[in-house]
Amino acid sequence: KRAIKLAKRAQYYKERHQFDRAKSCLLDVQDHRALAALANYQIGIMLSTAGNLRVAERHFEQAVGQDPTLAGACYQLGLLAQQSGALQRARDYFEKAVELDYTHARAHYQLARTVNLDEDHELARNHYLIALDLDESLKDPVLEQRFRRGN
């Protein structure tokens, strides 16, 4: 509600050519949306940890809707899609996450696992190696063996 009031106030100032005041109101709205996105993301994490995956998914979707640059929420949506067997959707979310944050090691790792299941081994291998460069603790003996054998 506060964001709506700020947006209306910004419109009021804009109509009166008080652009600095309008800009200030709009920046407050933008901050409000970013905070709402982070709140939805954190609620999604808590619900996911508690096993309430459907409600968690809705919060992650709301977070992405409020802030499309939130790589963590895209990653979480990818995990949920992967768990439900929707591999193409999972792959799309993981790709979006690494596009938004190239240093998101776990998104690269999960993308490698998802792509590998889709039979694109070279792409999977590339993302797996990026994940390892970013975080050596993600070393996966199963993926290591598959990539070593080339299948």
Side-chain angles (χ1 to χ4, degrees), residues 89-103:
R89 197 174 72 193
R91 181 176 174 169
D92 293 344
Y93 280 125
F94 293 140
E95 285 176 345
K96 183 67 173 173
V98 298
E99 177 186 315
L100 292 169
D101 181 2
Y102 188 78
T103 65

Side-chain angles (χ1 to χ4, degrees), residues 41 45 60 69-77 97 100 104:
Y41 172 71
I45 293 290
F60 293 134
T69 66
L70 200 54
C74 292
Y75 170 74
Q76 292 297 325
L77 286 166
L100 292 169
H104 199 305

